[in-house]
Amino acid sequence: MTDITIIGNGNMARGIASRAIAAGKKVEILGQDAAKAQALANELGADVSFGTTAGAPQGSIVVLAVPFDAAKAVVSAYGDQLAGKTVVDITNPVNFETFDSLVVEPGSSAAEEIAALAPAGVNVVKAFNTTFASTLVAGESGGKPLDVFIAGDNAEATQAVSSFVSAAGMRPLVVGPLKRSRELEGFQFVVMTVQANPAFADFNWDTGLAITK
């Protein structure tokens, strides 16, 4: 039985799948290209299954490890096949042509737009948008476990994601309803611009956000 389906076969898919395997979860990789999905599954080893997005996701948690526009297309295409599942949006809706703004309207977020496309019975949760791929593979940044910020409207769905994060050796921080995704996406955009800024030569997309006391 599959626990977690990951849509995508890029770096973030690899990172989240690595944490899922560390948590002892059964993982399924689905992509548009079967060969690429198979290559990632083979790389990950363990008991990882693969297929294409032509097939319905089997996991109770479905992670959209694809860019924002692709995530919207996936949710629209699957429709009722996602009913009863927890869908995790990890996207940061950055305008990658200018790298100077987000592409969602003020007062909205990628997660909320994706949720609006989902049929009734699908619980969309925001998570992992503040973690970089390499830190997920390692499970830490700067020698410390990752903080994973989580936002969602359904308590059962956010708890499911939180439990997965804990089992994977990271710290879940449930920050509120899905509309908190607006702040998570905006703040991570700032972090991304810092990574790309040559003035911060020590940053190489391997930093992590953490709340300390």
Side-chain angles (χ1 to χ4, degrees):
M1 178 179 291
T2 298
D3 298 307
I4 298 176
T5 295
I6 298 175
I7 309 295
N9 44 45
N11 290 333
M12 284 298 290
R14 178 182 294 104
I16 294 171
S18 296
R19 290 300 92 218
I21 292 167
K25 304 297 185 182
K26 298 292 186 182
V27 177
E28 174 186 49
I29 303 292
L30 299 182
Q32 289 187 323
D33 187 317
K36 291 181 179 179
Q38 181 178 12
L40 178 56
N42 291 343
E43 175 189 331
L44 292 165
D47 187 17
V48 179
S49 60
F50 67 91
T52 71
T53 48
Q58 299 303 304
S60 57
I61 295 177
V62 179
V63 180
L64 303 175
V66 293
F68 176 43
D69 285 342
K72 290 191 291 183
V74 166
V75 170
S76 296
Y78 275 136
D80 290 337
Q81 294 180 90
L82 296 173
K85 298 184 183 295
T86 295
V87 173
V88 179
D89 166 43
I90 75 166
T91 65
N92 287 298
V94 176
N95 184 331
F96 288 103
E97 291 185 2
T98 65
F99 212 64
D100 194 42
S101 66
L102 301 179
V103 297
V104 292
E105 293 295 325
S108 186
S109 67
E112 290 170 288
E113 289 194 15
I114 288 169
L117 295 171
V122 178
N123 297 309
V124 174
V125 174
K126 190 76 179 187
F128 297 108
N129 80 296
T130 58
T131 54
F132 291 124
S134 63
T135 65
L136 284 165
V137 171
E140 55 87 22
S141 177
K144 297 180 180 179
L146 299 175
D147 279 351
V148 178
F149 296 86
I150 301 167
D153 292 334
N154 181 277
E156 184 176 350
T158 54
Q159 181 56 49
V161 176
S162 181
S163 295
F164 161 43
V165 169
S166 292
M170 302 174 288
R171 183 170 71 158
L173 296 173
V174 179
V175 298
L178 196 63
K179 66 182 181 180
R180 288 285 81 79
S181 301
R182 304 169 192 176
E183 289 75 28
L184 293 179
E185 292 170 8
F187 192 69
Q188 183 64 4
F189 168 56
V190 173
V191 175
M192 292 169 72
T193 62
V194 170
Q195 303 300 307
N197 188 336
F200 301 98
D202 291 341
F203 295 163
N204 190 28
W205 304 95
D206 57 1
T207 59
L209 296 178
I211 293 181
T212 62
K213 65 175 182 177

